[in-house]
Amino acid sequence: MNTAPRVSLLVPCYNAGKHLRGLAEQIAAQELPFAEVICYDDNSQDDTLEVARDLGFSVIAGDTNRGAGFARNRLWESAAMPWIHFHDADDTLSPRYLEKLAVYLGEEPAAVMCAFRKRWSGGEEADLVYRYPDAGTETDWITFFIRHFVHLNAFIFPTEALQTTGGFAEDLRIAEDREFLVRAAAKGLRFTYVDELLVDWVVHKDSTLGRAAEAIRWRYDGIFLRRCYDLLDLPHRKALGEYALYRGWWLFWTGVYPGARENIEVAQLCGVYHADDAKLLEQLLSHTIGTLRCFALKKGWARLKAWLSAKHRMPGSE
């Protein structure tokens, strides 16, 4: 057991000046200290660079905005410690984060992750807590990261894992974190899960994801799914297809048609046209007219049944 791990805290920044002082307070409050703090300024248009330097952080200044994947790659390349933790400047960190996870950082190059909470900065929606208690017995991490989202803020990685995987895909402005986790698992990186809520992911309307147009978001999502397809073996392609089909149906039902199309196309690429428990008629339709048209029929039929049921319940309808 390593009770005093040497962990680099790596912070990709874009227009993060207003958040850095709060992050500095959280860093100072850690029961166990980080060995170093490095910020990458992704050509911010505010005072990020000056604030980071005033706080005593090591700073890498980018001269062109290249996105979070590029920033994280420059950060881990500069890290001097055997362990690294990526943390967004606007997210929160429990004072006991490093202390709680440190006992799992041994000589074996396995990543450690904890539970996390999603919060909306304006309070638009209720908080969501992401816990994966069954992950303690997980052996198929590829399928786990296909099916589950875990924010990078929740992880401590062995630095050599970034070297082995080649880091983050710099052409992906969205979903580069998910692509990295699937790829890292496919290359054999193992993970340990600690079921304690130690970090918050704070969602802002002006974040990269929040500012992106719907079509752009789902185009990058489709690229992520296809990248997964390219690197996976046949059993995991089946898992990817089942996930994409499930997600495609949910997106279609809620009216997010660009996302539904991206997911359905990947499901079919994986040879998955319908759920395993689909009735025979749905199986036949999905293969003859395609999954997307089959979903349109299912949604139309469900709405028709709901309308007929409501009409039947109306006073005087009998």
Side-chain angles (χ1 to χ4, degrees), residues 25-36:
E25 293 174 0
Q26 296 170 52
I27 294 169
Q30 288 296 302
E31 297 292 334
L32 284 177
F34 288 98
E36 63 178 353

Side-chain angles (χ1 to χ4, degrees), residues 244-256:
L245 182 80
Y246 170 82
R247 197 158 169 251
W249 168 242
W250 180 81
L251 290 165
F252 191 90
W253 180 260
T254 56
V256 186

Side-chain angles (χ1 to χ4, degrees), residues 304-318:
L304 177 61
K305 287 197 299 182
W307 180 79
L308 291 173
S309 177
K311 188 173 187 300
H312 180 73
R313 291 195 299 269
M314 289 175 61
S317 61
E318 298 185 2

Side-chain angles (χ1 to χ4, degrees), residues 146-160:
I146 288 171
R147 293 176 175 170
H148 303 292
F149 171 75
V150 184
H151 199 281
L152 281 182
N153 290 353
F155 290 89
I156 296 178
F157 294 103
T159 305
E160 68 179 68

